[in-house]
Amino acid sequence: MNKYVYIQNSTPRKQATPRPMSGRIAWGSRWCIFALPLVLLAAGCVHSPEAPSPASPTLPPAITLSAHMPDTIRHEPESLFAMPASTDTVALDALIGAALRTNPDLQGDLAHYAAQLQRIPQETSLPDPSAQVKVSRSRGGAMPGTPLFPPPAVQFPQRTSMPSTTAYTLQAVQPIPWPARLRLQGQIAGEEAAAAFETHNIRLLDIIHDLSRQYYSLSHDYAHLALIRQEKAYVEQFLESALAGYAVGRHGRQPVLMAQTELARLDNELLAFPGRLASRYAALRAHIDDDPLADALHVGQPVTDFDALPLTLPDATPDELLTVAMQLLPEATKIDREIEIGRLAQALAREEYRPDFVAGLEYMNSAAASMNMAASGRRDTVGVIVGITIPVPNARRRAQQAEARLRETEAQHRRRALEINTAAALESAFEQLYSMADRITVYEKTLIPLALDTYETGRVEYETGIGDYISLLDALRTLVRTQQEQLELKRDALLLLVDIQRITGARFVFAEQADNIQASGEEAPHD
């Protein structure tokens, strides 16, 4: 067994994404200029909240491993259909890069994230100011205190009349919420945008997981196909030998019939591969259908040879990988955002008990005219409006604060459940992975060599006339079945390793690639 290496890559490649917008307060109207001194005096400086800046969308960080399992038994690669010799092999990283560039689900998630960022300035802006124009006119009349019908015995001075007036009132008012409330609303909007970005990361990991499983299964199908065709070639040779022996009277027809039956069984098994391979390619194209690379994915397009896919085991305990997983998993990061949203919502609910302010200006122009006056008078009035809204504790505000507290508690419980489930999944996967690795070693060092020796011995005995054809055919079947079991075991181990990568939110690279990465300071190549 080789010694393992476990290194966490800390230099992810960033991709351009919409940057969070600043939370500047939009005054919205020129009427607010008149109220600026009052705004600064009553409300103080309203700080712009700093929106959280989630990481740019990148591939999951890479965990470095060293090769552990030796290569499986080699087979001559054969494709189901003849392909040009110049056709390039499609690598898994090329498929992942194409999905990252053009997958519509990922692009839709990024658009949703950008839309969520636009809520930050909406939540941090002041309410729209209001303006009113009022015209009022009053008719003239007797002065206050002068009776219209005085008693005859009482002498009053000559009655005077009030002039008729027309007043024009222009009023501009700017509501000013409590400054901390705007800041908290902006922070909540920023955290919600960051949670939307983690939804994109979750989908990205799911796509990588599905692409990896389909790719490894496709490579295994080609290896299985090559093994069956190799077995068919051997059976065809046996049929020729059996026919020759039957022609000279060495044996009866039973070996010929058994060889023909075995050939018919193999041909029937080969009929299942076109549909199986087509479904694999279709599953791969579904993630990159908008990329030009999708046009090259068809049945017969070469992929990485199954024997060239080394099975690697992480040099880390499940507890160590659990710590990494809770730091890298976007599910955990999204829950952390929700916990923070709950805390900010509680703070915002407390700020609801703070007063709101109203500041504004009022201009009034009045004109008066009287029949008893020789001239008319005009008077302008300028007033300042200052108001305050006093919140009253009620059931709505109490329920708002209780809801925010319960939302935070809910998110904390879900994070704990995620940690427990991740730990259980890692422990189970590790037990199965190391068990499979031990079994593969037994196949490579014991079972396959014994099956090869049995087959070679049966072939020599059959050619020398000591053994019979039935024993030789059984030895061939045992050899092929053992090789198939080894291929399936390695495939299951690779798929389980892909599941571990999804559980931890990381990707695995090989030690020789990690040396180049550390030397150049770049991230793992993923197209």
Side-chain angles (χ1 to χ4, degrees), residues 182-215:
L182 295 178
R183 173 176 54 83
L184 290 171
Q185 290 177 174
Q187 290 178 351
I188 292 176
E191 293 293 338
E192 290 175 347
F197 182 78
E198 296 304 328
T199 302
H200 161 270
N201 289 338
I202 293 173
R203 193 186 302 273
L204 174 60
L205 286 181
D206 290 338
I207 290 177
I208 293 176
H209 178 255
D210 187 60
L211 280 174
S212 300
R213 290 184 64 91
Q214 295 294 341
Y215 189 88

Coordinates of all heavy atoms in Angstrom, one line a residue, residues 182-215:
L182 N -32.6 51.0 8.2 CA -32.2 50.9 6.9 C -31.0 50.0 6.7 O -30.8 49.2 5.8 CB -31.9 52.3 6.3 CG -33.1 53.2 6.2 CD1 -32.7 54.5 5.6 CD2 -34.2 52.6 5.3
R183 N -30.0 50.2 7.6 CA -28.8 49.4 7.6 C -29.1 47.9 7.8 O -28.6 47.1 7.0 CB -27.8 49.9 8.7 CG -26.6 49.0 8.8 CD -25.7 49.6 9.9 NE -26.3 49.8 11.1 CZ -26.5 48.9 12.0 NH1 -26.1 47.7 11.8 NH2 -27.1 49.2 13.2
L184 N -29.9 47.6 8.7 CA -30.3 46.1 8.9 C -31.0 45.6 7.7 O -30.8 44.4 7.3 CB -31.1 46.0 10.2 CG -30.3 46.2 11.5 CD1 -31.3 46.3 12.7 CD2 -29.3 45.1 11.7
Q185 N -31.9 46.3 7.1 CA -32.7 45.8 6.0 C -31.7 45.6 4.8 O -31.8 44.6 4.1 CB -33.7 46.9 5.5 CG -34.9 47.0 6.5 CD -35.9 48.1 6.1 OE1 -36.9 48.2 6.7 NE2 -35.5 48.8 5.1
G186 N -30.7 46.4 4.6 CA -29.7 46.2 3.6 C -28.9 44.9 3.9 O -28.5 44.2 3.0
Q187 N -28.5 44.7 5.1 CA -27.7 43.5 5.5 C -28.5 42.2 5.3 O -28.0 41.2 4.8 CB -27.2 43.6 6.9 CG -26.2 44.7 7.1 CD -25.8 44.8 8.6 OE1 -26.4 44.2 9.5 NE2 -24.7 45.6 8.9
I188 N -29.8 42.3 5.6 CA -30.6 41.1 5.4 C -30.8 40.8 3.9 O -30.7 39.6 3.5 CB -32.0 41.3 6.0 CG1 -31.9 41.3 7.5 CG2 -33.0 40.2 5.6 CD1 -33.2 41.6 8.2
A189 N -30.9 41.8 3.1 CA -31.0 41.6 1.6 C -29.7 41.1 1.1 O -29.7 40.2 0.2 CB -31.3 43.0 0.9
G190 N -28.6 41.5 1.6 CA -27.3 41.0 1.2 C -27.1 39.5 1.6 O -26.6 38.7 0.8
E191 N -27.5 39.2 2.8 CA -27.4 37.8 3.2 C -28.4 36.9 2.4 O -28.0 35.7 2.0 CB -27.8 37.6 4.7 CG -26.8 38.3 5.6 CD -25.5 37.6 5.6 OE1 -25.4 36.4 5.2 OE2 -24.4 38.2 6.0
E192 N -29.5 37.4 2.0 CA -30.4 36.6 1.1 C -29.8 36.4 -0.2 O -30.0 35.3 -0.9 CB -31.8 37.3 1.0 CG -32.6 37.3 2.3 CD -33.8 38.1 2.2 OE1 -34.0 38.9 1.3 OE2 -34.7 37.9 3.1
A193 N -29.1 37.4 -0.7 CA -28.4 37.3 -2.0 C -27.3 36.2 -1.9 O -27.1 35.4 -2.8 CB -27.9 38.6 -2.5
A194 N -26.6 36.3 -0.8 CA -25.5 35.3 -0.6 C -26.1 33.9 -0.5 O -25.5 32.9 -1.0 CB -24.7 35.6 0.6
A195 N -27.2 33.7 0.1 CA -27.9 32.4 0.2 C -28.3 31.9 -1.2 O -28.2 30.7 -1.5 CB -29.1 32.4 1.1
A196 N -28.7 32.9 -2.0 CA -29.1 32.5 -3.4 C -27.9 32.0 -4.2 O -27.9 31.1 -5.0 CB -29.7 33.7 -4.1
F197 N -26.7 32.6 -3.9 CA -25.5 32.2 -4.6 C -25.1 30.8 -4.1 O -24.6 30.0 -4.9 CB -24.3 33.2 -4.2 CG -23.0 32.8 -4.9 CD1 -22.9 33.1 -6.3 CD2 -22.0 32.2 -4.2 CE1 -21.7 32.8 -6.9 CE2 -20.8 31.9 -4.9 CZ -20.7 32.2 -6.2
E198 N -25.3 30.4 -2.9 CA -25.0 29.1 -2.4 C -26.0 28.1 -3.1 O -25.6 26.9 -3.3 CB -25.2 29.0 -0.9 CG -24.2 29.9 -0.1 CD -22.7 29.6 -0.5 OE1 -22.4 28.4 -0.8 OE2 -21.9 30.5 -0.5
T199 N -27.2 28.5 -3.5 CA -28.0 27.6 -4.2 C -27.4 27.3 -5.6 O -27.4 26.1 -6.1 CB -29.4 28.3 -4.4 OG1 -30.0 28.6 -3.2 CG2 -30.3 27.3 -5.2
H200 N -26.7 28.2 -6.2 CA -26.0 28.0 -7.4 C -24.9 27.0 -7.2 O -24.6 26.1 -8.0 CB -25.4 29.3 -7.9 CG -24.3 29.1 -8.9 ND1 -23.0 29.1 -8.5 CD2 -24.3 29.0 -10.3 CE1 -22.2 28.9 -9.6 NE2 -23.0 28.9 -10.7
N201 N -24.1 27.1 -6.1 CA -23.0 26.2 -5.8 C -23.6 24.8 -5.5 O -22.9 23.8 -5.9 CB -22.3 26.7 -4.6 CG -21.4 27.9 -4.9 OD1 -21.1 28.2 -6.0 ND2 -21.1 28.7 -3.8
I202 N -24.7 24.7 -4.9 CA -25.3 23.3 -4.7 C -25.6 22.7 -6.0 O -25.3 21.5 -6.2 CB -26.6 23.5 -3.8 CG1 -26.2 23.9 -2.4 CG2 -27.3 22.1 -3.8 CD1 -27.4 24.2 -1.5
R203 N -26.2 23.4 -6.9 CA -26.5 22.8 -8.2 C -25.2 22.5 -9.0 O -25.2 21.5 -9.7 CB -27.3 23.8 -9.0 CG -28.0 23.2 -10.3 CD -28.7 24.2 -11.1 NE -29.7 24.9 -10.4 CZ -30.9 24.5 -10.3 NH1 -31.3 23.4 -10.8 NH2 -31.8 25.3 -9.6
L204 N -24.2 23.3 -8.8 CA -22.9 23.0 -9.5 C -22.3 21.7 -9.0 O -21.9 20.9 -9.8 CB -21.9 24.2 -9.3 CG -20.5 24.0 -9.8 CD1 -20.5 23.7 -11.3 CD2 -19.6 25.1 -9.4
L205 N -22.3 21.5 -7.7 CA -21.8 20.2 -7.1 C -22.7 19.0 -7.6 O -22.1 18.0 -7.9 CB -21.8 20.3 -5.6 CG -20.7 21.1 -5.0 CD1 -20.9 21.0 -3.4 CD2 -19.4 20.7 -5.4
D206 N -24.0 19.2 -7.7 CA -24.8 18.1 -8.2 C -24.5 17.8 -9.6 O -24.5 16.6 -10.0 CB -26.3 18.5 -8.0 CG -26.8 18.6 -6.6 OD1 -26.1 18.0 -5.8 OD2 -27.7 19.3 -6.3
I207 N -24.3 18.8 -10.5 CA -23.9 18.6 -11.9 C -22.6 17.8 -12.0 O -22.4 16.9 -12.8 CB -23.9 19.9 -12.6 CG1 -25.4 20.4 -12.8 CG2 -23.3 19.7 -14.0 CD1 -25.4 21.8 -13.5
I208 N -21.6 18.3 -11.2 CA -20.3 17.6 -11.2 C -20.4 16.2 -10.8 O -19.8 15.3 -11.3 CB -19.3 18.4 -10.3 CG1 -19.0 19.8 -11.0 CG2 -18.0 17.6 -10.2 CD1 -18.1 20.6 -10.1
H209 N -21.2 16.0 -9.8 CA -21.5 14.6 -9.2 C -22.1 13.7 -10.3 O -21.6 12.6 -10.5 CB -22.4 14.7 -8.0 CG -22.7 13.4 -7.4 ND1 -23.9 12.8 -7.6 CD2 -22.0 12.5 -6.7 CE1 -24.0 11.6 -6.9 NE2 -22.8 11.4 -6.4
D210 N -23.1 14.2 -11.0 CA -23.8 13.4 -12.0 C -22.9 13.2 -13.2 O -22.8 12.1 -13.8 CB -25.1 14.1 -12.4 CG -25.9 13.2 -13.3 OD1 -26.3 12.1 -12.9 OD2 -26.2 13.6 -14.5
L211 N -22.2 14.2 -13.6 CA -21.2 14.0 -14.8 C -20.2 13.0 -14.4 O -19.8 12.2 -15.3 CB -20.6 15.4 -15.1 CG -21.4 16.4 -15.9 CD1 -20.7 17.7 -16.1 CD2 -21.7 15.8 -17.3
S212 N -19.6 13.0 -13.2 CA -18.6 12.1 -12.9 C -19.1 10.7 -12.8 O -18.5 9.8 -13.3 CB -18.0 12.5 -11.5 OG -17.5 13.8 -11.5
R213 N -20.3 10.5 -12.3 CA -20.8 9.1 -12.2 C -21.1 8.6 -13.6 O -20.8 7.4 -13.9 CB -22.1 9.1 -11.4 CG -21.9 9.3 -9.9 CD -23.2 9.2 -9.1 NE -23.8 7.9 -9.2 CZ -23.5 6.9 -8.4 NH1 -22.7 7.1 -7.4 NH2 -24.0 5.7 -8.5
Q214 N -21.7 9.4 -14.5 CA -22.0 9.0 -15.8 C -20.7 8.7 -16.6 O -20.6 7.8 -17.4 CB -22.9 10.0 -16.6 CG -24.2 10.2 -16.0 CD -25.1 9.0 -16.2 OE1 -24.9 8.1 -17.0 NE2 -26.2 8.9 -15.4
Y215 N -19.7 9.5 -16.4 CA -18.4 9.4 -17.1 C -17.7 8.1 -16.7 O -17.3 7.3 -17.6 CB -17.6 10.6 -16.9 CG -16.3 10.7 -17.8 CD1 -16.4 11.3 -19.0 CD2 -15.1 10.1 -17.3 CE1 -15.2 11.3 -19.8 CE2 -14.0 10.2 -18.1 CZ -14.1 10.8 -19.4 OH -12.9 10.8 -20.2

